[in-house]
Amino acid sequence: FFTVKREHLFGRAASGLKVNGFATIKAVPFAPAAWKGWTFGDSDKPFSPVYRQLGNQLLDEDGKAEFKLETTPAWRPPAALQVVQQAVVTESSGRTVTSYGATPLDVYPFYIGLRLLQEGTVRVGARQKISVVEVAPAGVAYAEAKPLVMKLVRVTWTSALRKNAEGTYEWKSDRQLTVIREDTLSASGTARDWSFQIDQTGEYLVQASDPDSGAATSLRFSAASADQSWVEWSREKPDHIELTLDRERYRPGEVAR
């Protein structure tokens, strides 16, 4: 529900005026202030904005109207949702006045946070740790412990040069995901570590998910070695170069690699 209230210029309730209600539900990041440096959400989950027309009403004697928005627990956004409310009041002269509001909408009982303890590129052969935590929508530690499914996924690409509708050729790249390890972690509102080891260079994902609620988070990283020669990548943007540094920050005089 959301309530609309409209007053005339000098404070009298704008009773009897027509008001139309609209709502847009869109995906937004979950980024609680107390968990900076953590990754929340799974960007591979698609969620297109949902638009709702909530009908029209007449403002009551207090200049108020209430609109009801139907949501569904079947939504599976990357992380959090936001409801943008819009009310359009039509005055007796025909002039319209529009107002907006926004409120968070949480379809998951908690969010999964991931943080790779190794900064930058992971070294092949070295044992790595990733911290996992469950955070309530309010941004505090989740009170109930839920076991999570942990997956280590290798990302590979296959590319082909194809003719498009305009008669020119362009690269089309398809991503393949291969699960190389799957495990169960007894996660909770207290951060716990999950260990893994990479045996070859390339692009990887760590995925953590709760099968019951659908909550999930994925964290992308790269693995490299001293004798690395070639790594597959998407060729759809051949003039785009992606650089990955070995650390997140450096001190003056240090060498970036």
Side-chain angles (χ1 to χ4, degrees), residues 9 22 41 62 74 85 102 119 138 141 155 157 170 172 191 197 199 209 218 226 234 257:
L9 180 60
F22 306 89
D62 296 321
Q85 307 121 343
E119 288 188 359
V155 182
W157 296 87
E170 62 183 4
K172 291 294 183 182
Q197 187 170 330
D199 60 0
S209 62
S218 62
S234 172
R257 302 182 184 276

Side-chain angles (χ1 to χ4, degrees), residues 49-68:
V50 177
Y51 303 97
R52 293 280 191 267
Q53 294 187 9
L54 306 180
N56 60 78
Q57 302 180 36
L58 295 180
L59 297 174
D60 63 17
E61 61 182 9
D62 296 321
K64 295 181 180 181
E66 189 175 77
F67 290 96
K68 181 180 180 180

Side-chain angles (χ1 to χ4, degrees), residues 5-77:
K5 182 178 181 181
R6 171 68 177 161
E7 295 178 346
H8 290 294
L9 180 60
F10 297 105
R12 182 170 61 87
S15 59
L17 297 184
K18 179 182 175 182
V19 56
N20 290 79
F22 306 89
T24 301
I25 302 98
K26 62 180 182 178
V28 294
F30 179 71
W35 301 91
K36 291 183 179 179
W38 290 78
T39 297
F40 294 90
D42 186 354
S43 59
D44 285 334
K45 286 188 173 184
F47 188 87
S48 300
V50 177
Y51 303 97
R52 293 280 191 267
Q53 294 187 9
L54 306 180
N56 60 78
Q57 302 180 36
L58 295 180
L59 297 174
D60 63 17
E61 61 182 9
D62 296 321
K64 295 181 180 181
E66 189 175 77
F67 290 96
K68 181 180 180 180
L69 173 64
E70 297 286 347
T71 61
T72 171
W75 284 337
R76 290 293 179 266

Side-chain angles (χ1 to χ4, degrees), residues 99-148:
S99 182
Y100 294 90
T103 186
L105 175 63
D106 299 294
V107 298
Y108 302 124
F110 63 91
Y111 297 93
I112 302 170
L114 297 178
R115 184 175 64 180
L116 191 62
L117 300 185
Q118 165 73 41
E119 288 188 359
T121 302
V122 167
R123 293 296 176 184
V124 171
R127 181 154 296 276
Q128 307 296 329
K129 289 183 179 181
I130 190 167
S131 292
V132 186
V133 72
E134 296 171 347
V135 179
V140 298
Y142 188 57
E144 302 177 25
K146 286 283 292 183
L148 302 177

